[in-house]
Amino acid sequence: MVHDPSALEPRCRFQEDDSEEYGSPVVSSSTIADIIKSRSEALLKETKTSVSPKPVVMRAEFAHCPNLTIIDTPGFFLKEKKGEPENTPQEILSMMKPLTSPPHRILLFLQQSSVEWCSSLCIRVEILI
């Protein structure tokens, strides 16, 4: 997220592949979701894996937001999902380790709101740090 006083309406830009440049602004939330989905699927098809460490980078610009970097990673899970390789949970942990290493980062773990807290499983993540 980038604080931009001239952006009176939120606008998003996606980083171009293999470039530091960002494309044209996108404002429709459904278009943003479609771009994220198609880029994610293309990365997985390219790498022939169930997860990829290569990020889809989106820049959100708005006059009423702070400068903040958010890294949305694949969720943690204890067992591979149906049709995924057995090592998928380990691949996710390996991908997360360098992202969680810098001491200035705040880690926030979210859980689906449909899950009751009392029946939730706690996943040990101290191995990441």
Side-chain angles (χ1 to χ4, degrees):
M1 293 184 347
V2 177
H3 173 76
D4 181 348
S6 71
L8 301 179
E9 293 294 323
R11 61 181 178 236
C12 297
R13 299 173 192 269
F14 285 88
Q15 190 174 39
E16 301 296 334
D17 289 334
D18 301 320
S19 172
E20 293 297 316
E21 300 296 318
Y22 288 83
S24 301
V26 179
V27 292
S28 162
S29 59
S30 62
T31 303
I32 292 168
D34 290 344
I35 291 171
I36 291 171
K37 182 179 179 183
S38 68
R39 288 192 179 197
S40 297
E41 289 172 351
L43 280 172
L44 297 179
K45 187 176 180 182
E46 176 185 315
T47 59
K48 296 179 176 72
T49 60
S50 56
V51 294
S52 172
K54 186 176 179 182
V56 173
V57 180
M58 182 187 83
R59 177 183 171 124
E61 303 161 344
F62 190 40
H64 305 289
C65 76
N67 290 325
L68 178 67
T69 300
I70 299 172
I71 302 169
D72 183 15
T73 62
F76 286 105
F77 47 90
L78 301 173
K79 188 166 173 31
E80 70 281 354
K81 295 177 184 172
K82 187 176 180 179
E84 291 183 341
E86 281 185 30
N87 66 341
T88 300
Q90 291 77 23
E91 283 185 27
I92 292 172
L93 287 174
S94 297
M95 182 181 69
M96 294 284 300
K97 193 166 187 165
L99 296 173
T100 61
S101 298
H104 65 280
R105 293 211 170 133
I106 297 172
L107 306 180
L108 178 64
F109 297 91
L110 305 177
Q111 187 163 356
Q112 289 180 340
S113 61
S114 61
V115 175
E116 290 186 37
W117 183 252
C118 63
S119 63
S120 296
L121 292 173
C122 292
I123 299 175
R124 295 177 58 116
V125 294
E126 66 263 7
I127 59 171
L128 294 174
I129 302 172

